[in-house]
Structures are given as structure tokens and as C-alpha cells.
Amino acid sequence: MVLTAVLDYVGVATFAMVSTIGARDRRLDLVSSALLAAVAGVGGGTLRDLLLDRTVFWLHNPGYLYVCGGAATVVWFVGAGPRRRQTLLFLDALGVSAFAVVGTLIARETGVPAPVAAVMGLLTATCGGILRDVLAAEHVVLVRRDVYVTVALLSSVVFLVAVELGMPLVPAAICGASVGSVLRILVITRRWQLPAPPRT
């Protein structure tokens, strides 16, 4: 499916670029930066495929690795000023939502129930970033109050609901990715956070 491939490559490229910014800020060399970019770009999809007992997607299509390496190299050499960082954060919003929809769609194609597909979409969108943060000794995205995981889950659920309501796959995928992207952009621009539990 063309849309699935497009969303997949968008997610891989944006995750790789955003990861390289962090690696560059930490003064990591190009090889280390490219490794973190690859982990962020393909890590979530790898876990999804392993759990679904599928052939890991980048093993038969190394183009994903080329995208990670190319994106990391460009960002590492060019750098990222304030405007580029802001642009990449917006692209990251699209990447998170795109990955969530792709993961959910792939899971549904294997015949798993809708709740499982939503979880697969969530893992696809977030686990690459989690693995990257662990390797880079950063605060893992799951322990931040940033509205990140929620965006991925929302994208998956909106896509599934749209399909259940009879919407064709392509419009449903666009709908899910768009809703998640808009929410993530609002989170970035307005600095929204989910509430923390009250102190006891």
C-alpha cells in the first residue's frame, strides 16, 4: 500500500533527524549519531514485527536504513538552528502519528483484535524513541509529562474508529495521522502537559 510506505518513511526520516539533533548536542560522533538515528527510526517497528511474528520490515528492505543514515548525516553536518529545530519538532509530530497509524494498520492486516492493533501502533510510534533514550542516557519519553504517548494512542484509536465506521483505509489513515499531528503541534506550541497525581 503506497500510503503505508509513505507514512512509514516519513516516520523513519523524522525520528532519525530529531534523534541526530540530540546526539549532535551531546557532541557524539557521526557513527554514534547514525546508530541512535537508526534505533529511533526502526526500533518500534522491529518490536512490533517480532511480537506479531512477522519478518522484521527492514531486513528485506534496507532502504529504511539508508534513510536513517542519510538523515543523520545531513543533520550532523548541517546542524540545526532554532528555526530548523522548530520545523523538525513539527515533523516529529507527523512522524509519531504516522508511525502509530502504520503500526495499527499492519497489525490489523495480521488479523489481531482492534485493541491489540492499537497497542501495536503505540509501540511502533514510541519504542524506537524509548530505546534511543536508554542508549543515550536521556530521560525516557514514558517518564516525561509531555503529551507524547497519548498522541500515538489517539492516532491509532482514531484510525481504528474511522475504519469501523466504514471509512476507506486511505482517508482513515490520513484522519488518524492528522488528528495526532494537530494535537502534538498544539502540545509543542502551547506547552501542554498531562496532570500529575496529587501529592500524598
Side-chain angles (χ1 to χ4, degrees), residues 1 9 44 49 63-64 79 114 121 128 131 133 149-150 158 162 189 194 197:
M1 185 176 179
Y9 276 109
D49 288 347
Y64 290 101
L131 292 172
D133 291 343
V149 175
T150 306
V158 168
T189 56
L194 292 175

Side-chain angles (χ1 to χ4, degrees), residues 36-98:
L36 290 179
V39 168
V42 304
T46 299
L47 178 60
R48 174 204 64 220
D49 288 347
L50 291 174
L51 290 174
L52 293 174
D53 198 24
R54 300 174 73 244
T55 301
V56 176
F57 68 104
W58 54 268
L59 293 181
H60 56 77
N61 187 355
Y64 290 101
L65 299 181
Y66 300 150
V67 169
C68 290
T73 300
V74 170
V75 173
W76 194 86
F77 278 106
V78 174
R83 288 186 179 179
R84 287 177 186 158
R85 288 172 184 266
Q86 192 73 6
T87 300
L88 285 176
L89 284 176
F90 290 152
L91 287 175
D92 185 57
L94 176 58
V96 171
S97 303

Side-chain angles (χ1 to χ4, degrees), residues 95-182:
V96 171
S97 303
F99 262 174
V101 170
V102 168
T104 305
L105 175 58
I106 289 174
R108 284 296 279 165
E109 288 176 345
T110 67
V112 300
V116 177
V119 171
M120 291 298 109
L122 176 63
L123 293 179
T124 303
T126 60
C127 282
I130 292 171
L131 292 172
R132 174 204 61 210
D133 291 343
V134 170
L135 290 175
E138 296 281 358
H139 289 296
V140 177
V141 65
L142 282 178
V143 298
R144 302 175 195 162
R145 290 179 59 194
D146 195 7
V147 184
Y148 192 88
V149 175
T150 306
V151 167
L153 183 60
L154 178 64
S155 296
S156 297
V157 171
V158 168
F159 169 70
L160 287 170
V161 170
V163 170
E164 289 298 321
L165 292 176
M167 187 178 293
L169 284 179
V170 172
I174 294 174
C175 184
S178 299
V179 170
S181 297
V182 169

